[in-house]
Amino acid sequence: MAANSQALNFPHKKAPSLDEFLNDVAQRNPGEPEFLQAVHEVATDILPFVADKPVYRDLRILERIAEPDRVISFRVTWQEDDGTVHINRGYRVQNNNAIGPYKGGLRFHPSVNQSILKFLAYEQTFKNALTGLPMGGGKGGSDFDPKGRSDSEVMRFCQAFMSELVNHIGPDCDVPAGDIGVGAREIGFLFGQHKRLTRQFQGVLTGKGPSYGGSLMRPEATGFGTVYMMDNMLTHRNEAIAGKICVVSGSGNVATFATQKINELGGRVVTLSDSTGYIYDPDGIDNEKLQWVIDLKNNRRGRISEYAEHFGCSFFEDERPWNVPCDLAFPCATQNEINEADASHLIKNECEAISEGANMPTTPGAISALQEAGVLLAPGKAANAGGVAVSGLEMSQNSQRYAWTSQEVDDKLKDIMAGIHEQCLAYGEEKAGVNYARGANVAGFVKVADAMLAQGVI
Ligand code: NDP
């Protein structure tokens, strides 16, 4: 009621066209292609949706979500083991907290910049809404590259990074987690420094170790959730993952746990990749081989080409795996890793469905081509929401000073992914089939928009 009466105070306005809207966002955010790409993708679905809904349109909800609440940037100075001084840039983008404290990962990778973190924080806002849990959208990180660094160098970097981030986060304000380059080791160092600076043992980061407040199943959650999403999509068509050939990219957290779950459900994963290329193992990457990969990546910190040498299969340097024939594809590495040429390989090879473990892995041209060809495509904001969902469950457990069993967390994760699938159907079912991207965009938007309307023009 409050939202409607508020809208009545505004003159009836015409919704901006997609071009007008995007030109405005482009002018305000020069040199930020990834952010514009993410805003464009959402606006394509939301502008037509709000056109006949003055309550959302006149209060400019979509425009407000496309302007982050704040972007914090800071210097991070740290020393190498030999004393060399390094200067990196740290960021936290707090996009929107209409439905809960800002929540989203930290990425440590040399490619990190403001555009990439703004796109991720923007996507996170819709993703978190889809989980049904009270979490707003944020993202952060640094252009620091942990690769090749000693544990003590990573620790000093994390301590320097947290020395500034501490001023901007808190259990009821902003709760970061991991992302590319930020795993259990980094979260531990960040948490330790936060505790030292504040003298508080708080649920201020998720992805913590189970011995100090971490949720069981958090490491597995994104990869498992991505596969649960695929399972829901196939079940909706009376099909299953069992017996399907699966192509997975990446070999980090999301890729390895997605592979584990695919194996459990009877699919066969034939590829993994990293930034140097991909391996093709037609016999399948079973759980024994997968454990070898996890040890390679987490402990020995090696390259995926070593898999090909060890298990005697092919390695394709500087290539991506999308030309390998498959029934199902799981991009689990990074943004824009499936372009139009890759999409045409997937279509030619009759790939049936894609579940995006990574954020925005598919370029706009590739999305259009895949959708036109009838390939089912679950967007990252729906398909990889399992990670942040279990982060939300970690926050609940921290608040209660309690820990659920793996089974309890996994059951809740399955329910949340089924709920996300239902929301995609509710808003994305079309004559030609389910448009999961549209369904996810509209469902996420409605939840955030209704909260913003209720809270007034702020
Ligand atoms: P990790 O750091 O554990 O693994 C990333 C993997 O992707 C590595 O194999 C890495 O290779 C590869 N990769 C990274 N950048 C590139 C690149 N530019 N080109 C080719 N390969 C690349 O990260 P995560 O598994 O955590 O994250 C993967 C994706 O999933 C990201 O898009 C992330 O935002 C998304 N995601 C992660 C969540 C989580 O809970 N961790 C939650 C939701 C989404 P290399 O080692 O050579 O760099």
Side-chain angles (χ1 to χ4, degrees), residues 241-246 259 261-269 328:
I241 290 176
K244 305 262 195 220
I245 304 291
C246 302
T259 300
K261 185 53 73 177
I262 293 167
N263 286 343
E264 207 180 291
L265 297 182
R268 176 150 37 114
V269 176
L328 308 175

Side-chain angles (χ1 to χ4, degrees), residues 4 16 26 47 90 104 107 162 231 250 260 280 294 354 390 404 433 436 446-447 454:
N4 284 332
L47 284 176
R107 177 177 291 191
M162 182 53 81
D231 195 39
Q260 183 179 324
Y280 174 45
I294 290 172
I354 300 174
V390 172
W404 294 320
Y436 282 92
V446 166
K447 172 128 192 234

Side-chain angles (χ1 to χ4, degrees), residues 1-8 55 453-454:
M1 282 306 288
N4 284 332
S5 55
Q6 213 176 48
L8 292 177
V55 71
L453 290 177

Side-chain angles (χ1 to χ4, degrees), residues 26-37:
Q27 271 177 15
R28 296 162 71 83
N29 301 280
E32 299 192 348
E34 294 86 359
F35 178 59
L36 292 184
Q37 184 182 334

Side-chain angles (χ1 to χ4, degrees), residues 105 107-109 111 119-120 124 127 139 145 147 177-183 218-219 221-223 226 249-256 273-277 297-298 302-304 320 331-335 337 356-361 380 383-388 391:
R107 177 177 291 191
F108 292 168
H109 193 272
S111 65
F119 117 62
L120 288 164
Q124 195 84 42
K127 180 191 312 192
K139 199 84 187 186
D145 188 357
K147 265 197 218 101
D179 190 72
I180 292 177
V182 179
R218 175 61 188 89
T222 308
T226 301
S249 68
S251 50
N253 171 273
V254 181
T256 51
S273 72
D274 66 15
S275 51
T276 63
K297 287 292 170 179
N298 291 355
R303 314 310 299 152
I304 200 67
R320 300 188 289 227
C332 297
T334 193
Q335 63 272 2
E337 54 168 316
E356 295 183 344
N359 284 306
M360 207 170 74
N384 69 37
V388 74
S391 277

Side-chain angles (χ1 to χ4, degrees), residues 115-141:
S115 171
I116 288 178
L117 294 179
K118 278 170 67 177
F119 117 62
L120 288 164
Y122 180 79
E123 284 282 292
Q124 195 84 42
T125 302
F126 299 94
K127 180 191 312 192
N128 293 1
L130 287 171
T131 66
L133 300 174
M135 301 180 290
K139 199 84 187 186

